[in-house]
Amino acid sequence: MRRRVVVTGLGVVSAIGTNVSQFWESLISGKDGTKEITVFDASPYSNRRAAEVSGLDLGSHFSKRELRRLSRCDQFGLIAFREAWKDGRLDRDPVEKERVGVLLGAGSGGILSMERYFRDFYSGRKRVSPSLLVSYSLATTTDLITIDAGLKGPRNTTATVCSSSSVSIGVAYEMIQMGLAEVMVTGGSDSLCEVSFSGFNSLKLIDPESCKPFDKRRKGLILGEGAGILILEELEHALRRGAPIRAELLGYGICADAYHLTAPEPNGEGVERVIRSALAHAGLSPEEVDTINAHGTATPFNDISETRGIKKVFGERAKEIPISGIKSMIGHCLGSAGGIEAVATVLTIENEVIPPTIHYEVPDPLCDLNYVPNQSIKREVRIALSNSFAFGGNNACLVFGKYISNGKRRFI
Amino acid sequence: MIGKEDERVLITGLGIVSSVGIGRDEFWRSCLLGISGIKPIQRFETSSYRSQLGAELPEIDFKQWIRPSNLRRMDRIGKIMVSAVKLALEDSGMDLSREDPNRIGIAIGTGLGSSNTVDLFFRSLLKEGPTGAQPLLFQTAVPNAITSHCAIEFGIRGINLTFSHKEVSSEMAIAFAYQQLKKGRVDIMFAGGGDELSEPLYHVYSRLGVLSPGRGEGEEGMRPFDRKRNGVVLGEGGAVLVLERLGHAKQRGARIYGEICGVGCSGSTDGVLRYDLKGDSIARAMFLAANELELVDYISAAANSTPELDRAESLAIQTVFKERVKGISVSSLKSMIGEFDGAGGLRACALALTLFHKIIPPTLGTVDLDPLCELNVILEKPQKREIRSALLNGCSNGGSNLSLWFKSWS
């Protein structure tokens, strides 16, 4: 018998809100987090915009010594984790720390810190402090969160970049399935850095002004940053401690296009397979899906192949399913994209409001579905998907559902 | 406890690209002869460092395994990993064209994947500004590019995952692959990992004080459990195992190296660069992995020649096996292949060969056991013995510990 896995805590840091309630408010009111970049010197670039996190009072979260050592990615991760931990009442309820694990997704990780170090080092500045080097590993944020709360369960980090934290949520789910943990802290954290920015810029994948998913005028993505953390918990464990249950994670799919290093498979065949695999894992049929949180990067190719994939799964009904492209507001947060979008998906189910795709003005005949243009809509959501796709054709899809206490879930 | 027959997960192919041999046979010969891959580093200048050693791969002609048109889009570590998959596939005798590509998956563990490519990209960016950012380098610089290369090369369309968690990256990849097979979401998994040495990586480890000979005096080198050990020597390489479900393996008459029967994971929280200090977390991982501890005869240790980890792991093994500890053979492969985040693939291949041939490779470099590491460590010469089952321990700095339980196949 499969164990049921529920979401009992959420935490978020993003350009449009540095806690869950602020984030949600901004999300449903269609706020754009895009601004001029300040975290690195973007003046040599013709594009200088990203969904950068601002307005965080770091001093209230960390000591001066911690701030010297923690990368920006670590800071976001820890802040979102502490919010989720508290939200799940895990700061108050006694839990066996051996049964609580951490599985995060990473993207650029602490590269921002490494950039600073190696910039100085290569330019010949002699005594560069090694304190920045603690961020050398993509696992550092995961380790820091674990240490922060003294968690002694399983721990690892996924590194598929743009789909990392969706994938990590799937792996965390499996940790609970395997009986290796009762509670898993999952999601991801990532920060802007020049390496990723210049890389996407060199691939001509960045829109100079804003991210316009599924709109005919779209020119590419806007990079973002932040953290999205979820507490996953085995249902009986959550019930025993009377935890607030915000949604159920019903299943997930992970697959590969096996097509190209950067371009998605153009016909959406990989998208179709990953959604079908996730639905089969959850024991659901396509008819039961109420909304989709799209990957929707606003690169010309992604949006077409994602649309095609969705149509292949849902057929005629595809046009009726509200599809949100929230990267239009939070940007593409790479290693934390899937985590933040999973948080948004859980909130969608909980609040029965579907966030919009903003900057949507000119329909593209190749993207002809209901993308919830510019205004959020109120609707009961029982089942919601969250898509994430990465370079190399690494696809992931998560299936969240409203928690039904005695709900009959069909398991394969 | 062994699960239902169709849930059993077998090792049926090994692909090895290592500093001590390319391919299964060359690698295994080196393991038994006690040949170390550790030598003075050739690929970059080490004169400004206190350390000079590394376990580097020899020059390899990748054209034997990869078509030239495909080679062009891969960087060095990409070629290493694709070659490892190719070798594993050949070793397994499987014909992929007869399999459903959606039921084949891959899980790879690595530190940074293409760390040389990241460095090249960054240096060019520093030198020339935005126009120095090279798109072709960027697309292979992401850590999952190595896994994607493999998926594209072999048409692997099922589960595709890349883990990066310090020294337990590949162990996790194998654990996840095992779990997916057990659950029946796939029929075949390629699992393992790899890394390449690069100067920035060497620099980071050196400045963090991880590399032998550490901050103190003493001879540079790797000697797990030895009284005179003084740090890590970095290595590189890639290795992939073919894992499949019993029914599938039987149907095609596969040769079976061994079976994976369990996973245990745990964490310690002693510090972001510290290993488990007390060893209780490592012990817990072993407890969770092996349902029948009394069947364990051998442990492929994570011990990497840092005093902290060697002692904690020794303590953990003593705690778990109590009076039986003397009867349990222990060795560490790391003094042969060097330490790196994706080393778990190679270590798992060595363990599969150990079970298959019933011979345990020795712990190179170790002569004088630390009294705090009182274990039956196999030194100098390989040990021939019956091995009913074995544990593969993975321990990372920061404190993630993972044990895999392997059984002999009979």
Side-chain angles (χ1 to χ4, degrees), chain A residues 24-314:
Chain A
W24 181 244
E25 196 116 314
S26 301
L27 206 59
I28 58 172
S29 57
K31 186 178 168 188
D32 185 357
T34 308
K35 46 184 90 69
E36 294 279 314
I37 293 172
T38 66
V39 289
F40 61 87
D41 176 15
S43 60
Y45 295 87
S46 51
N47 303 335
R48 286 185 282 270
R49 294 171 69 75
E52 188 177 302
V53 170
S54 56
L56 258 183
D57 177 15
L58 292 172
S60 70
H61 292 280
F62 306 109
S63 72
K64 283 212 175 80
R65 182 171 178 275
E66 285 173 325
L67 284 175
R68 267 199 309 276
R69 292 179 70 97
L70 297 174
S71 72
R72 192 169 165 84
C73 172
D74 300 335
Q75 293 165 8
F76 295 158
L78 282 164
I79 292 169
F81 161 69
R82 287 170 184 171
E83 184 186 18
W85 192 248
K86 218 171 148 184
D87 180 47
R89 294 218 311 253
L90 288 154
D91 57 334
R92 284 182 280 155
D93 290 356
V95 283
E96 203 186 333
K97 296 285 172 76
E98 281 75 16
R99 303 291 292 161
V100 185
V102 185
L103 224 140
L104 297 194
S108 2
I111 289 187
L112 184 68
S113 296
M114 300 301 278
E115 278 174 17
R116 286 181 185 145
Y117 179 91
F118 279 103
R119 192 183 295 277
D120 285 351
F121 177 70
Y122 285 143
S123 66
R125 268 185 52 184
K126 275 284 177 259
R127 295 305 308 170
V128 194
S129 159
S131 67
L132 291 170
L133 292 179
V134 178
S135 304
Y136 80 96
S137 169
L138 294 173
T140 302
T141 308
T142 313
D143 283 340
L144 284 163
I145 284 176
T146 315
I147 292 163
D148 197 53
L151 308 179
K152 302 200 161 173
R155 186 193 322 172
N156 220 283
T157 306
T158 56
T160 53
V161 193
C162 307
S163 67
S164 265
S165 44
S166 286
V167 165
S168 75
I169 292 168
V171 180
Y173 174 92
E174 294 292 8
M175 287 292 182
I176 296 176
Q177 288 302 329
M178 276 194 273
L180 289 165
E182 302 299 329
V183 179
M184 288 296 295
V185 176
T186 184
S189 182
D190 210 346
S191 78
L192 288 166
C193 63
E194 190 174 352
V195 163
S196 330
F197 186 84
S198 67
F200 282 103
N201 187 56
S202 75
L203 286 164
K204 305 200 183 338
L205 289 177
I206 294 187
D207 192 303
E209 84 197 4
S210 62
C211 171
K212 311 180 223 359
F214 308 106
D215 185 294
K216 194 159 195 250
R217 303 161 303 147
R218 71 187 182 279
K219 294 201 185 82
L221 50 85
I222 285 283
L223 284 176
E225 61 177 357
I229 301 286
L230 295 86
I231 308 285
L232 297 185
E233 187 164 355
E234 194 275 321
L235 175 63
E236 295 303 321
H237 190 273
L239 291 175
R240 268 198 304 277
R241 67 181 186 90
I245 296 176
R246 311 191 71 153
E248 180 167 1
L249 178 58
L250 296 166
Y252 72 96
I254 299 172
C255 80
D257 281 356
Y259 173 75
H260 188 270
L261 272 186
T262 50
E265 196 280 325
N267 296 315
E269 183 270 342
V271 176
E272 178 193 5
R273 278 190 294 118
V274 81
I275 295 176
R276 287 196 190 280
S277 159
L279 287 173
H281 189 231
L284 295 169
S285 72
E287 287 69 46
E288 295 172 87
V289 174
D290 297 310
T291 183
I292 301 172
N293 189 300
H295 185 56
T297 52
T299 60
F301 294 118
N302 172 79
D303 292 6
I304 294 173
S305 76
E306 187 168 12
T307 299
R308 286 178 176 158
I310 290 171
K311 284 179 174 176
K312 283 184 171 166
V313 176
F314 298 97

Side-chain angles (χ1 to χ4, degrees), chain B residues 30-43:
Chain B
S30 297
C31 287
L32 298 185
L33 291 174
I35 294 170
S36 172
I38 294 175
K39 297 185 181 71
I41 285 179
Q42 306 293 321
R43 293 183 64 84

Side-chain angles (χ1 to χ4, degrees), chain A residues 117 119 121-122 127-128 139 143 152-153 155-157 159 167 174-175 178 252 256 269 273 277 391 394, chain B residues 102 119 123 126 144 157-158 160-162 164-166 172 179-180 185 203 207 267-268 284 398-400:
Chain A
Y117 179 91
R119 192 183 295 277
F121 177 70
Y122 285 143
R127 295 305 308 170
V128 194
D143 283 340
K152 302 200 161 173
R155 186 193 322 172
N156 220 283
T157 306
V167 165
E174 294 292 8
M175 287 292 182
M178 276 194 273
Y252 72 96
E269 183 270 342
R273 278 190 294 118
S277 159
F391 267 11
N394 287 178
Chain B
N102 299 316
D119 186 45
R123 286 201 209 208
L126 272 187
N144 57 322
R157 305 205 306 172
N160 184 297
L161 259 176
T162 309
S164 175
H165 199 100
K166 300 178 179 171
M172 181 64 205
Q179 199 271 344
Q180 293 296 303
R185 279 194 97 173
H203 179 89
R207 286 224 70 189
S268 53
R284 204 165 61 248
S400 174

